[in-house]
Amino acid sequence: MIRARSPEAKAKRRAQILRATADVLAADGLEGCSLNAIASRAGIVKSNIYRYFESREEILLRLLLDDLTGTCDGLSMIVSGPMSVKETAQLLANGFVASPRLCLLISQLAPTLEHNIRTDTLREIKRALLVQSNRASAALTTALPALPHATAQQAIHLLFSLVAGLWPMSNPGPELANLLAEPEFAPLGQSFADRIHDAILILLSGLTTVAKQDPHNRALPHSGH
Amino acid sequence: MIRARSPEAKAKRRAQILRATADVLAADGLEGCSLNAIASRAGIVKSNIYRYFESREEILLRLLLDDLTGTCDGLSMIVSGPMSVKETAQLLANGFVASPRLCLLISQLAPTLEHNIRTDTLREIKRALLVQSNRASAALTTALPALPHATAQQAIHLLFSLVAGLWPMSNPGPELANLLAEPEFAPLGQSFADRIHDAILILLSGLTTVAKQDPHNRALPHSGH
DNA sequence: TCAATAAGAAAACGGCGTTCTCTTATTGAC
DNA sequence: GTCAATAAGAGAACGCCGTTTTCTTATTGA
């Protein structure tokens, strides 16, 4: 392997590792996405990954940031004015359904990705993630002007939580997949697309309802504590 | 260590292991809950755990089942008749807030606990979990008779997803906890109690709204596909 | 031309969940 | 009471993981 000494060459190596990670993730899922797999896919040696990222978590966080940015780009493109709650829900749901990797990484964000990383690095990434999250809130406010800004932000955070909770449930491992084929457990086998679509519709309906019942500026019961 | 040969003695060992697991979980969290830790806490040798459980996942699944059963017991006790949406939300939220271990295990259910386990065992446990989930749905229908049964079931599943998504987010590791102390990220530092309370209220509001707009028996948009 | 630098490579580390092997306490049949 | 069969306890070993350490050597700028 020829050595990367210039900043550009180093950036290429970083991109190469991220690309390999994305490939392994698509091919073998998170379980198969070990540093060994990433390294061999990228054609480099495992220990050298640590010259470009400080941990496995950082790699995945960078990937998450890229994906979220892309999805928010798409959202900002599409949303240009007020829409119905139903349309808005569909739009948001489609955004997630179109990015399975984003959903996977969101589901891993709090439980695993935000560990094993220096505070400085985490701060930088978290800041960038917040920027994107705020872009999404802005898009939501554009689509549903009835929602106050603070409520829209809460909605986006809740949405992330929903994705984090629903994705693993909708993408079971082979053991559970076997079971879900049995009629007894069929109701549990709903697709992620159906689940997230229903959930977002309910969420937005609930938020507009609560917002109506709350004439003050307080978006949600606890936000004013 | 004296040997457990009678069925009762074996049951005691199982209980001993479950107890030790709960203790380690309470003391050191999921990260510290290795088989080494469980074994040393239980005063037995690691390899012998496999004479009583087929994997680490099974131990945690059994614990989850116990916790869920306990919480559903409590719920059934309290709910005896119709209540307002607000009261119902508070009740459900309190049920989860009172059982941090249950919340933790729910958040681990789909991503990790339902793997590495024989299909037969998983079926047995899943069936038992479903029974409890249905008890919860029944309690919800009692509290909010306006919700059709199918909707109540969907609500409970959504509730589990919410807990699964919200719990890890509200219980960050030390790295993120450092960051959340900074004013810039303060909005992300909401407590689990606040989050889950708000979310359940929104969820129930949304569900009743959607249920009203849906005069047919179909509980949710996709349940009739 | 050459010493300094740092990227690549490989071995080693500690820890994990799990399996294998061996010992030996306990048992039920005789 | 004796004894072979059983199976629980114990501990070493396995393979994998993420990470660190060490060494080599290609590349660089003086």
Side-chain angles (χ1 to χ4, degrees):
Chain A
M1 177 61 48
I2 75 161
R3 301 192 176 183
R5 302 205 55 144
S6 67
E8 307 85 58
K10 288 189 187 182
K12 268 199 156 186
R13 277 269 185 288
R14 273 179 74 95
Q16 182 183 356
I17 293 170
L18 287 172
R19 174 79 261 143
T21 305
D23 290 346
V24 172
L25 226 41
D28 303 324
L30 192 71
E31 306 228 350
C33 193
S34 67
L35 287 185
N36 284 317
I38 295 173
S40 84
R41 175 97 200 186
I44 66 178
V45 139
K46 180 170 59 161
S47 61
N48 271 353
I49 293 180
Y50 288 87
R51 299 210 185 272
Y52 298 93
F53 297 93
E54 57 178 86
S55 65
R56 180 175 178 270
E57 283 80 5
E58 197 205 337
I59 305 177
L60 294 171
L61 274 174
R62 300 286 180 189
L63 216 50
L64 166 60
L65 179 54
D66 288 351
D67 285 350
L68 184 62
T69 304
T71 295
C72 287
D73 286 348
L75 209 64
S76 303
M77 283 285 186
I78 295 179
V79 178
S80 59
M83 314 169 65
S84 74
V85 167
K86 223 170 197 172
E87 286 169 326
T88 309
Q90 191 114 39
L91 200 70
L92 289 172
N94 288 346
F96 285 108
V97 170
S99 284
R101 191 173 61 212
L102 174 61
C103 296
L104 169 65
L105 293 174
I106 284 179
S107 77
Q108 294 295 316
L109 179 57
T112 63
L113 300 188
E114 284 169 346
H115 299 98
N116 198 19
I117 189 166
R118 282 186 305 115
T119 302
D120 295 359
T121 316
L122 184 54
R123 173 163 38 230
E124 178 211 328
I125 297 177
K126 271 305 242 189
R127 209 174 268 159
L129 288 174
L130 261 182
V131 167
Q132 298 306 317
S133 152
N134 285 335
R135 289 180 66 203
S137 311
L140 183 56
T141 312
T142 304
L144 299 177
L147 288 186
H149 184 56
T151 307
Q153 280 181 319
Q154 287 265 20
I156 295 297
H157 288 164
L158 252 180
L159 224 149
F160 286 164
S161 297
L162 270 173
V163 171
L166 288 174
W167 178 262
M169 187 172 283
S170 316
N171 296 81
E175 298 92 341
L176 189 55
N178 284 341
L179 273 192
L180 292 180
E182 303 177 9
E184 178 182 4
F185 298 103
L188 300 180
Q190 233 185 333
S191 75
F192 176 71
D194 286 356
R195 278 195 228 256
I196 195 67
H197 178 269
D198 288 355
I200 295 182
L201 185 57
I202 292 166
L203 169 67
L204 292 185
S205 303
L207 274 172
T208 50
T209 305
V210 172
K212 262 180 217 147
Q213 294 169 354
D214 189 355
H216 305 70
N217 217 3
R218 301 184 303 112
L220 285 170
H222 287 93
S223 60
H225 276 188
Chain B
M1 178 61 48
I2 76 162
R3 299 192 178 184
R5 302 206 54 144
S6 67
E8 307 86 56
K10 288 189 188 181
K12 269 199 155 186
R13 277 268 186 288
R14 273 179 75 96
Q16 181 183 357
I17 294 169
L18 287 173
R19 174 80 262 146
T21 306
D23 290 346
V24 172
L25 225 42
D28 304 324
L30 192 71
E31 306 229 351
C33 193
S34 68
L35 287 186
N36 283 318
I38 295 173
S40 84
R41 175 98 199 184
I44 66 178
V45 140
K46 179 169 61 161
S47 61
N48 270 355
I49 293 180
Y50 286 88
R51 299 209 186 271
Y52 298 93
F53 296 93
E54 57 178 86
S55 65
R56 180 177 178 270
E57 283 80 5
E58 197 206 336
I59 305 178
L60 294 171
L61 275 175
R62 301 287 180 187
L63 217 50
L64 166 61
L65 180 53
D66 288 351
D67 285 351
L68 184 63
T69 304
T71 295
C72 287
D73 286 348
L75 209 65
S76 303
M77 283 285 186
I78 295 179
V79 178
S80 58
M83 315 169 65
S84 75
V85 168
K86 224 169 197 171
E87 286 168 326
T88 309
Q90 191 114 39
L91 200 70
L92 289 172
N94 289 346
F96 284 109
V97 170
S99 284
R101 191 173 61 212
L102 175 61
C103 295
L104 169 65
L105 292 174
I106 284 178
S107 78
Q108 293 296 316
L109 179 57
T112 63
L113 300 188
E114 283 168 345
H115 300 98
N116 197 20
I117 189 166
R118 283 187 304 116
T119 301
D120 295 0
T121 315
L122 184 54
R123 173 162 39 226
E124 178 212 329
I125 297 179
K126 271 304 240 189
R127 208 175 268 159
L129 289 175
L130 260 183
V131 167
Q132 299 306 319
S133 152
N134 285 335
R135 288 179 67 202
S137 311
L140 183 56
T141 313
T142 304
L144 299 177
L147 289 186
H149 183 57
T151 308
Q153 281 183 317
Q154 287 265 19
I156 295 297
H157 288 165
L158 252 180
L159 224 149
F160 286 165
S161 298
L162 270 174
V163 170
L166 288 175
W167 178 262
M169 188 171 284
S170 316
N171 296 81
E175 296 92 341
L176 189 54
N178 284 342
L179 273 193
L180 292 180
E182 303 177 9
E184 179 182 4
F185 297 105
L188 299 180
Q190 233 184 334
S191 76
F192 177 71
D194 286 356
R195 276 195 229 258
I196 195 67
H197 177 270
D198 288 355
I200 295 182
L201 184 58
I202 291 166
L203 168 67
L204 291 185
S205 303
L207 273 173
T208 50
T209 305
V210 172
K212 263 182 217 147
Q213 295 168 355
D214 189 356
H216 304 70
N217 217 3
R218 301 183 305 111
L220 286 169
H222 286 94
S223 60
H225 277 186

